[in-house]
Amino acid sequence: MTASADSTSSSPAPANTPASAYDWLGGEAQVRALVDRFYDLMDLEPAYAGLRALHPSSLEGSRDKLFWFLCGWLGGPDYFIERFGHPRLRARHLPFRIGIAERDQWMACMRQAMQELAVDGELQQRLDGAFMNTADWMRNI
């Protein structure tokens, strides 16, 4: 099972920290901006070519699915579940060869997107751990 981004840290959040990672990030518009920057980078940066090769020629469907998933995973609306039911992430990713290189490219791309969007440093750290746990769980080779 994967943990949501809200349950990844055992240290308490500061008193002024929003209740969810979704709110902390800035809500729906910022989740969309993060997803769009992630896929823009994947499409443009040669360092992510292996990861890009696992995706269809058009990234529109992938953008929407990651956006819908992340909204719920971060503690916001469960758009993905409303459309498709349980995410079953590992099962949905089994048709694709995902190893350490693909995991690391995914993580590097997401880290770059978070940095470029100036996501709060503490939130980046928490999300990085949660993303790594999930990305590593997706490996199937």
Side-chain angles (χ1 to χ4, degrees):
M1 304 259 325
T2 61
S4 74
D6 288 336
S7 63
T8 60
S9 176
S10 59
S11 61
N16 60 350
T17 301
S20 70
Y22 177 84
D23 292 331
W24 194 353
L25 186 61
E28 188 168 309
Q30 283 303 106
V31 175
R32 176 55 81 178
L34 178 62
V35 167
D36 284 344
R37 188 63 191 144
F38 172 81
Y39 281 108
D40 290 348
L41 289 167
M42 185 193 302
D43 218 14
L44 297 170
E45 297 289 337
Y48 310 131
L51 180 62
R52 178 63 180 92
L54 295 175
H55 290 77
S57 58
S58 170
L59 292 173
E60 292 312 305
S62 299
R63 285 176 193 265
D64 286 341
K65 286 179 182 173
L66 183 58
F67 167 71
W68 295 329
F69 172 76
L70 285 182
C71 281
W73 187 76
L74 292 166
D78 281 325
Y79 297 136
F80 189 94
I81 291 171
E82 291 168 4
R83 287 168 173 81
F84 305 107
H86 190 282
R88 300 179 23 229
L89 287 182
R90 187 153 168 79
R92 291 181 196 275
H93 287 81
L94 278 176
F96 310 100
R97 294 179 48 86
I98 302 172
I100 291 171
E102 292 77 15
R103 176 204 64 194
D104 290 351
Q105 285 183 32
W106 196 97
M107 286 300 303
C109 190
M110 183 55 74
R111 286 175 181 138
Q112 184 176 346
M114 287 193 293
Q115 288 171 355
E116 289 186 11
L117 290 177
V119 171
D120 177 83
E122 185 178 344
L123 179 58
Q124 278 188 52
Q125 185 178 5
R126 290 177 183 218
L127 291 177
D128 189 81
F131 283 138
M132 179 55 95
N133 287 340
T134 303
D136 195 55
W137 188 62
M138 293 297 110
R139 290 190 308 127
N140 55 34
I141 58 170

